[in-house]
Structure formats: structure tokens, C-alpha cells
């Protein structure tokens, strides 16, 4: 049984998939499996994967019956995993060749979630100064440095346990089609089940800008779809706010507000031409910003009461 599963949800990434696969195949730590979930694209991505699979038995291809989107495809990969630990790799990105070897050194220490640094091509790189963090204090810090550090949002810079991932997915529709803010949704589901987080201050992942990604689509229908996804995830996050700790509540609400601002910006820029409607959107945005500042202040006060530093 492999130690680590690397899951690649794959849809129309022909220019990038070979680079991603090679970064997995050539890992210095060999006890891995590479699960490629075919999400029914119309390019030659899966044909390329099939050629590699003929040469490397660690590559497993799962074919979706129809296009299900990133969230469902990742979950299908989890359900088909044979490893105790899960990593996610977007096929337009790639891993450092020592990523799995470095991570493996921390897997047998009962770490429920490992977060590592990454190279953000085209932007400044993230650096985390602390190593181990209680989940409650982490959520408060996350609130306070929300604008600068988004290390909770993505799934690509994390190592999960399969057991807790399955536990996180058991009471939801794991096959719902979501293409935007799906990372945040999965992470908030997951962190409900953990007590601490381990931060690994090494850059192990290369996040690359894909000019054809969903976040760069400007068509009206695509923007509408993005907004619907944001609204769906925000609704789910709001539901999570019931009967949870105050730290979790603050972090969840701030994430909702951040997504709401992104939705308002998209609506303002692409979907609204009327001056009065644009003005109303500006007012809504300011109100959300005020609410965010309120929750950030609350997080700072709680940390101060705990005598814990709010800085990173």
C-alpha cells in the first residue's frame, strides 16, 4: 500500500499535464500513487496520461462519466485512494522533486494537517515563521492576517489524512459541481475534525498562473457560474457557523465576507452597467469591509486575552 496519494483532477490541461506528471513520477520518495481523475475534457490530456501510465504502474486513471468539476473530481480521487495520506496537485502546477520525501519525515508524528510553503510564480512567495499551532489559535491568526496570508484557502499546499478527509465528506454531497471557492469549502469541512496544524517552512509546490483557468474567464456565463459557486459555498459555510467554537466562527465568517467581496467585484465589473446599481454595489462592499474589521478586532482581543501573539 502506498504511503501518499497525489490526486490530479484533470480537465483540458494538455500544455501542462506532462510537467505535472513528471514532477510526481520523479519524486525522490517513491512510495506514492498518482491518481489522475479524467473530468471529460476535449483535448489530449488523458492520452498523454495513458502513455505515462503504460510506463509507470503507480499512475491510476479514474474516468468520470461526465464533467463534474474540480471539487467532485478531487473527492472521487480520495474515494479511490489506497494511501493513508492525501495531496492534491493541480495539473497546471508542479511539485518540487523532494516534496514527498520532505513531507514523509513528518507523517508518522500523528500530524492531522501539514501546511507547507509554495512558490507563487509571478507574485511574492509566502513564508510562515511558526511551526506548530493549536487549531484555535491558528484560526484567530488567520482572521488577523487574512488580507496578506491565504494559506488556509488552497488545498494544493497541504497534506491530509485520508481517514479525516472521508470523515469530512460523509455528510455532504461530495459530487456537487463546484469550480470556485471549492478549496475553502473542503478545508473548512476538514479543520472541524482536527486539533492542531503543523507548518512546514519549505517551498515544495509551484503554483503557476494558467491564463485559461476559470478565474481568468471573462464571459458572461462563466462569471455567472463563478458567482453561483461562491453563493453555494457561502451558504454551506454559514450553515457550519452553528454550534461551533468562537474561533472557528470568526474564521468562517471572515472567509464568507472575503468571498462576498469577490462576488461583488465580479458583479460590478462584468455584470452591471447601470450607474445606480454600481453605486449600490460599492455601498454593499463598504459595509462588508466594516464587518470584516469588526471580526478581525474580535480575533485580536481573544488572542490578547490568551496572551498569544497575533503576528506571524
Amino acid at each position: 500500500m502506498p504511503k501518499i496519494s497525489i490526486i490530479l483532477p484533470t480537465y483540458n490541461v494538455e500544455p501542462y499535464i506532462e510537467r505535472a506528471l513528471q514532477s510526481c513520477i520523479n519524486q525522490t520518495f517513491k512510495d506514492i500513487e498518482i491518481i489522475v481523475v479524467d473530468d471529460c475534457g476535449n483535448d489530449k490530456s488523458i492520452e498523454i496520461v495513458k502513455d505515462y501510465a503504460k510506463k509507470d504502474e503507480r499512475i491510476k486513471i479514474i474516468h468520470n462519466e461526465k464533467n463534474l468539476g474540480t471539487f467532485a473530481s478531487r473527492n472521487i480521487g480520495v474515494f479511490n485512494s489506497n494511501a493513508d495520506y492525501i495531496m492534491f496537485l493541480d495539473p497546471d502546477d508542479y511539485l518540487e522533486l523532494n516534496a514527498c520525501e520532505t513531507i514523509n519525515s513528518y507523517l508518522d508524528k500523528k500530524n492531522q494537517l501539514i501546511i507547507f510553503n509554495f512558490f507563487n510564480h509571478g507574485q511574492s512567495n509566502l513564508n510562515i515563521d511558526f511551526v506548530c499551532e493549536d487549531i484555535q489559535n491558528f484560526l484567530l491568526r488567520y482572521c488577523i492576517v487574512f488580507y496578506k496570508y491565504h494559506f488556509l484557502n488552497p488545498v494544493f499546499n497541504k497534506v491530509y489524512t485520508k481517514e479525516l478527509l472521508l470523515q469530512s465528506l460523509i455528510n455532504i454531497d461530495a459530487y456537487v459541481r463546484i469550480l470556485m471557492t471549492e478549496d475553502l469549502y473542503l478545508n473548512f469541512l476538514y479543520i472541524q475534525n482536527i486539533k492542531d496544524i503543523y507548518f512546514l517552512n519549505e517551498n515544495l509546490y509551484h503554483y503557476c498562473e494558467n491564463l485559461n483557468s476559470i478565474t481568468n474567464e471573462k464571459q458572461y456565463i462563466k462569471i455567472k457560474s463563478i458567482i453561483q459557486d461562491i453563493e453555494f459555498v457561502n451558504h454551506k459555510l454559514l450553515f457550519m457557523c452553528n454550534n461551533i467554537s468562537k474561533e472557528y466562527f470568526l474564521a468562517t465568517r471572515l472567509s464568507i465576507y472575503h468571498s462576498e467581496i469577490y462576488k461583488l467585484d465580479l458583479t460590478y465589473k462584468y455584470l452591471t452597467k447601470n450607474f445606480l446599481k454600481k453605486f449600490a454595489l460599492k455601498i454593499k462592499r463598504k459595509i462588508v469591509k466594516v464587518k470584516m474589521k469588526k471580526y478581525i478586532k474580535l480575533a485580536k482581543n481573544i488572542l490578547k486575552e490568551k496572551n498569544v501573539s497575533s503576528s506571524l
Side-chain angles (χ1 to χ4, degrees):
M1 187 173 71
K3 187 83 171 282
I4 301 170
S5 290
I6 306 174
I7 297 171
L8 294 82
T10 301
Y11 177 80
N12 288 351
V13 285
E14 184 179 344
Y16 314 101
I17 187 65
E18 190 167 6
R19 179 182 66 185
L21 283 174
Q22 287 184 353
S23 78
C24 297
I25 293 167
N26 296 320
Q27 285 292 307
T28 54
F29 181 78
K30 303 299 182 184
D31 190 14
I32 64 173
E33 67 176 355
I34 304 158
I35 300 178
V36 176
V37 183
D38 171 19
D39 200 25
C40 305
N42 53 21
D43 67 358
K44 296 181 179 179
S45 297
I46 298 304
E47 297 304 314
I48 294 171
V49 177
K50 286 178 179 178
D51 287 339
Y52 274 92
K54 292 175 184 177
K55 305 170 187 176
D56 194 324
E57 62 182 10
R58 296 175 300 171
I59 299 175
K60 180 181 357 180
I61 306 173
I62 309 296
H63 299 281
N64 291 347
E65 293 183 3
K66 61 180 181 179
N67 178 256
L68 295 174
T70 311
F71 181 73
S73 294
R74 284 178 181 148
N75 295 337
I76 288 168
V78 173
F79 297 145
N80 285 276
S81 166
N82 295 303
D84 290 331
Y85 297 94
I86 305 288
M87 295 174 61
F88 296 105
L89 171 61
D90 291 339
D92 45 4
D93 301 332
Y94 60 100
L95 294 167
E96 282 284 289
L97 296 184
N98 68 335
C100 291
E101 182 177 7
T102 303
I103 288 163
N104 182 57
S105 302
Y106 300 89
L107 294 183
D108 294 326
K109 299 179 181 179
K110 307 300 181 183
N111 293 311
Q112 297 174 317
L113 179 64
I114 297 174
I115 301 180
F116 50 85
N117 285 339
F118 58 93
F119 296 105
N120 191 354
H121 290 240
Q123 298 185 35
S124 59
N125 294 322
L126 170 67
N127 281 300
I128 304 169
D129 294 330
F130 53 91
V131 178
C132 192
E133 181 74 301
D134 171 87
I135 182 63
Q136 307 295 342
N137 289 343
F138 162 76
L139 289 171
L140 294 171
R141 290 172 184 259
Y142 169 73
C143 293
I144 294 164
V145 294
F146 196 93
Y147 299 104
K148 185 176 181 181
Y149 296 100
H150 295 278
F151 43 77
L152 180 59
N153 299 23
V155 299
F156 59 71
N157 68 326
K158 296 174 179 63
V159 185
Y160 306 83
T161 69
K162 181 183 177 182
E163 179 184 4
L164 289 176
L165 265 180
L166 291 176
Q167 185 178 331
S168 303
L169 296 171
I170 195 169
N171 292 319
I172 68 160
D173 180 2
Y175 300 99
V176 65
R177 191 175 190 278
I178 316 174
L179 298 173
M180 182 60 61
T181 63
E182 76 284 356
D183 290 25
L184 193 65
Y185 183 33
L186 181 63
N187 284 328
F188 268 99
L189 287 168
Y190 188 83
I191 62 175
Q192 291 181 93
N193 300 310
I194 66 175
K195 295 180 179 179
D196 52 51
I197 295 176
Y198 193 89
F199 290 90
L200 183 55
N201 196 6
E202 295 202 38
N203 295 300
L204 302 177
Y205 189 101
H206 292 262
Y207 175 74
C208 306
E209 185 75 11
N210 177 359
L211 296 179
N212 295 316
S213 70
I214 185 69
T215 52
N216 287 292
E217 294 282 3
K218 300 298 188 291
Q219 295 97 325
Y220 180 86
I221 295 176
K222 291 289 186 181
I223 298 298
K224 290 283 286 184
S225 176
I226 289 172
I227 288 173
Q228 287 172 359
D229 285 348
I230 292 171
E231 290 174 343
F232 174 84
V233 171
N234 278 357
H235 174 75
K236 294 296 183 181
L237 292 178
L238 269 175
F239 182 76
M240 291 181 200
C241 286
N242 298 320
N243 301 317
I244 57 176
S245 70
K246 56 188 175 183
E247 294 88 353
Y248 190 94
F249 174 83
L250 290 174
T252 306
R253 292 302 303 227
L254 274 168
S255 296
I256 291 169
Y257 290 145
H258 185 266
S259 296
E260 184 69 17
I261 285 177
Y262 183 51
K263 185 186 80 171
L264 290 170
D265 289 346
L266 286 176
T267 305
Y268 181 90
K269 190 172 182 180
Y270 299 112
L271 303 184
T272 305
K273 295 183 179 180
N274 181 278
F275 172 79
L276 290 178
K277 289 182 178 180
K278 280 183 173 287
F279 181 75
L281 288 170
K282 281 188 174 183
I283 297 299
K284 286 183 180 179
R285 195 181 194 278
K286 288 183 178 180
I287 292 172
V288 174
K289 283 280 191 179
V290 169
K291 290 179 179 179
M292 290 181 77
K293 289 180 180 179
K294 173 186 173 183
Y295 282 113
I296 291 169
K297 184 177 180 180
L298 283 172
K300 285 182 177 180
N301 288 339
I302 295 172
L303 277 177
K304 187 176 181 180
E305 290 172 3
K306 290 184 174 186
N307 198 28
V308 176
S309 172
S310 61
S311 65
L312 296 181

